[in-house]
Amino acid sequence: MITDMFGRNRLKVNLHLHTTESDGQKSPEEAAAIYQKAGYDIIAVTDHWKYRESGAINGLRTLSGAEYNIGGGNGAGGVFHILALGCEREPGIGKEDSAQSIIDEINGCGGMAVLAHPAWSLNTVEQTEGLEGIGATEIYNAVSDAGQSSRPYSGYFVDAAACKGQLYPLLADDDTHYYDGSDETNAYIMLACDPDASDAEILEAIRRKDFYATQGPEIHLLREGNRITVKCSAAVRISLFSNTVWAKDRCLRGSGLTEHSCEVQPFETFIRAEVTAADGRKAWSNTIDLR
Ligand SMILES: [Zn+2]
Ligand SMILES: [Zn+2]
């Protein structure tokens, strides 16, 4: 747990990782030890088609999890990797189920259905806008920048979806597979939540977007009327993203930047922010709904 620049306690959480229970390179116990040493408060072990219930591994709290992937490897056909987080019981899901029935089953088990790595999956808004009940998506997925892939960042997808009114909570996750320095303890969320919160309360804090996603920097996005302000730890770049394709005050470059603000225009329906620190590490705010 850390205390942020506003004095709020935050839990360090990775909601997506694999172990030797599916295609990860470390056992659950080895993975938990790596995350515990790196100061994490909670992890979700999300092996493919292998549900793990909530509990603890050697003292590190685990939120129940699994990843259900359908659609094979051809992005043109609709590849969906859906995390089940915080379910109260194992979802009954088969490999022939549709994305919608997987999402429905996860929600029916009291969990949250997360659309994992939409950029890696080449998901389009046309593929997802008919889906009801997606609880969150990943704006950043670390393993998609490691090993055999280079599409970790889903900014285009989340902005295009937000243009259609889908303002998902935006997670950053490791999706750890290799544990070789490329994907473990790389991307996480800092969740404003009591350490003793129940699983349901953790999911509720995610649904409220009471977190920021990061590789290290701190970021906060604040609204006062039409004025939007970013406050952050020292950055070399602060960027704001909305449904406007261009505005002159949306990207600030420099050194030691800790604040930037802009006025939104009447036609803007959402806004979010990103910061980049001098070491290249990034942080991502959630979207603010301006409608
Ligand atoms: Zn996946
Ligand atoms: Zn995964």
Side-chain angles (χ1 to χ4, degrees):
M1 193 167 72
I2 66 125
T3 304
D4 70 18
M5 61 174 66
F6 296 105
R8 293 187 82 192
N9 290 332
R10 288 180 181 267
L11 305 180
K12 185 174 182 179
V13 182
N14 175 32
L15 293 169
H16 190 170
L17 69 85
H18 298 269
T19 73
T20 48
E21 297 286 300
S22 61
D23 56 353
Q25 298 295 309
K26 298 284 186 192
S27 70
E29 292 72 25
E30 290 169 328
I34 288 166
Y35 281 90
Q36 192 160 38
K37 192 172 170 214
Y40 284 70
D41 298 289
I42 302 173
I43 59 171
V45 177
T46 53
D47 280 301
H48 297 281
W49 299 95
K50 175 89 181 175
Y51 175 77
R52 186 183 186 96
E53 62 186 22
S54 290
I57 305 175
N58 295 333
L60 179 61
R61 181 172 176 181
T62 59
L63 187 65
S64 72
E67 180 172 17
Y68 301 99
N69 50 290
I70 56 169
N74 183 355
V79 173
F80 296 100
H81 287 214
I82 299 167
L83 303 180
L85 297 177
C87 289
E88 294 157 5
R89 60 185 182 280
E90 180 171 2
I93 294 172
K95 296 199 174 179
E96 302 305 315
D97 285 346
S98 67
Q100 187 62 65
S101 58
I102 292 171
I103 293 165
D104 289 345
E105 176 64 12
I106 292 167
N107 285 314
C109 292
M112 171 180 285
V114 175
L115 181 70
H117 46 66
W120 183 91
S121 300
L122 290 177
N123 289 139
T124 65
V125 175
E126 288 68 32
Q127 289 173 356
T128 59
E129 68 181 339
L131 297 175
E132 297 284 338
I134 296 174
T137 190
E138 291 176 339
I139 190 163
Y140 191 85
N141 175 285
V143 79
S144 299
D145 195 28
Q148 297 149 27
S149 184
S150 298
R151 288 194 180 108
Y153 174 62
S154 293
Y156 171 76
F157 170 82
V158 304
D159 291 341
C163 284
K164 296 281 191 181
Q166 297 160 3
L167 303 182
Y168 307 116
L170 303 178
L171 306 171
D173 292 332
D174 280 342
D175 194 3
T176 334
H177 284 73
Y178 300 106
Y179 300 89
D180 61 357
S182 65
D183 59 1
E184 77 276 32
T185 67
N186 179 304
Y188 48 97
I189 64 168
M190 295 301 292
L191 185 66
C193 192
D194 190 280
D196 299 324
S198 66
D199 288 1
E201 287 167 336
I202 287 169
L203 296 186
E204 193 46 45
I206 295 170
R207 291 187 210 282
R208 280 200 311 271
K209 304 182 179 179
D210 215 350
F211 66 90
Y212 60 88
T214 186
Q215 296 178 299
E218 186 169 337
I219 185 170
H220 305 278
L221 188 63
L222 311 163
R223 179 188 188 184
E224 210 172 325
N226 289 330
R227 178 141 294 268
I228 301 293
T229 300
V230 182
K231 289 184 186 285
C232 58
S233 53
V236 296
R237 182 166 179 155
I238 302 173
S239 302
L240 288 143
F241 299 84
S242 80
N243 54 304
T244 188
V245 295
W246 180 84
K248 64 177 166 44
D249 54 3
R250 301 304 167 86
C251 184
L252 186 67
R253 293 176 177 83
S255 63
L257 306 172
T258 56
E259 185 169 331
H260 182 49
S261 68
C262 72
E263 291 279 334
V264 290
Q265 305 160 80
F267 68 85
E268 290 183 86
T269 55
F270 73 92
I271 193 162
R272 66 178 182 86
E274 299 179 6
V275 302
T276 308
D279 63 4
R281 289 182 169 264
K282 293 177 183 290
W284 303 268
S285 80
N286 269 297
T287 47
I288 291 178
D289 190 343
L290 299 171
R291 294 168 297 180

